[in-house]
Amino acid sequence: MDSIKQCVPLDSVDANILRKWGSAWLDLTHTDMVLLARRNTPATRPNLFVRRALWESAVVSYGRVGQGNQRRKIDLAALFVASGDSGASDFHDSIMRWRHGHVAHRADAVFESVDALLSVDAALIPNALQLVIQPEVGPQDDEELAERFRAHVYLMRNTIWESFMDPLATKLAERARSRPADLEKMIPYPSASPEGFIATLTLWANPQLGETTSPPITQPAATTS
């Protein structure tokens, strides 16, 4: 990234669509990394809240892909079709039920039960009042839901890159090469704040430099049975 001295901002319709797909791609990468961290966190009592937090983080991050209609409205139906997975839409809905019904809003009673219980002794004299709260904390890592979630995220992320981001980037780059006048508005390359980071995705490179591009190489974690 140090070799990038200046750049030209792109503000066309295609560039706007590309930005939205790129933002969704990064959310899916976050989801993938969180699910991997959860798999690497043993399912023990001391880790219960950590594993629950990781599951809920994955659900929320995944949910952002299809949320935010004002700033990032992407065509989920087209994404599911391009993925080639006939069950992608239904599985998406099952994860969004986790988000809307439990993780974000606690609106679906199937995910949590709360009972107020009065304990009595042998003489039927009350001696304690207790609340018993039983929330869902996410599946075990080898359960079908967790395994399918990891595979789904991996497929959606790669489909976004290969079927949407890469073609748009090539189109934008070729258009810019044919219109030199559009390259006159230079700005400094952005730098990250101390609290944040920058994800730089090279979707296209000058063929004369002999560079090729491809999605970052990551594989879904191995499943167990």
Side-chain angles (χ1 to χ4, degrees):
M1 193 169 71
D2 293 338
S3 63
I4 302 177
K5 303 301 184 183
Q6 55 189 1
C7 50
V8 178
L10 303 178
D11 56 7
S12 65
V13 172
D14 286 334
N16 184 46
I17 295 173
L18 178 60
R19 287 196 296 269
K20 293 177 180 180
W21 281 118
S23 180
W25 183 92
L26 190 60
D27 275 334
L28 289 173
T29 299
H30 177 95
T31 305
D32 189 39
M33 294 298 100
V34 170
L35 291 173
L36 176 60
R38 190 174 189 265
R39 277 183 62 84
N40 291 334
T41 304
T44 60
R45 285 183 179 274
N47 291 334
L48 186 149
F49 285 104
V50 172
R51 285 177 53 79
R52 180 187 185 186
L54 289 170
W55 174 255
E56 294 192 350
S57 174
V59 169
V60 170
S61 298
Y62 174 81
R64 280 200 299 267
V65 174
Q67 297 298 109
N69 288 338
Q70 296 301 316
R71 294 187 62 110
R72 190 177 72 189
K73 187 174 183 180
I74 60 178
D75 192 343
L76 284 180
L79 171 60
F80 298 148
V81 170
S83 75
D85 180 3
S86 61
S89 180
D90 288 342
F91 185 77
H92 169 83
D93 290 343
S94 69
I95 295 298
M96 296 307 289
R97 184 184 179 191
W98 264 91
R99 182 196 182 279
H100 299 324
H102 185 55
V103 173
H105 302 294
R106 294 296 191 274
D108 193 332
V110 74
F111 292 106
E112 181 176 275
S113 66
V114 183
D115 295 300
L117 304 176
L118 183 66
S119 296
V120 297
D121 60 20
L124 300 183
I125 297 175
N127 57 21
L129 193 149
Q130 300 170 320
L131 283 178
V132 179
I133 306 169
Q134 299 184 68
E136 289 285 345
V137 297
Q140 293 298 311
D141 297 314
D142 59 355
E143 290 183 20
E144 181 181 0
L145 176 62
E147 293 184 344
R148 178 70 192 279
F149 195 13
R150 291 192 297 270
H152 177 81
V153 168
Y154 177 76
L155 177 60
M156 294 305 108
R157 187 182 58 167
N158 281 359
T159 300
I160 285 177
W161 184 289
E162 295 169 359
S163 298
F164 298 93
M165 292 170 63
D166 183 61
L168 278 170
T170 300
K171 179 180 180 181
L172 288 166
E174 291 177 350
R175 179 187 299 163
R177 285 160 61 90
S178 67
R179 300 176 184 176
D182 294 344
L183 305 179
E184 296 177 355
K185 185 180 179 182
M186 298 289 185
I187 64 171
Y189 191 78
S191 58
S193 68
E195 299 81 15
F197 74 102
I198 289 180
T200 302
L201 312 178
T202 302
L203 292 159
W204 177 90
N206 189 336
Q208 295 178 354
L209 301 180
E211 298 182 13
T212 58
T213 62
S214 61
I217 299 174
T218 57
Q219 296 291 335
T223 60
T224 58
S225 59

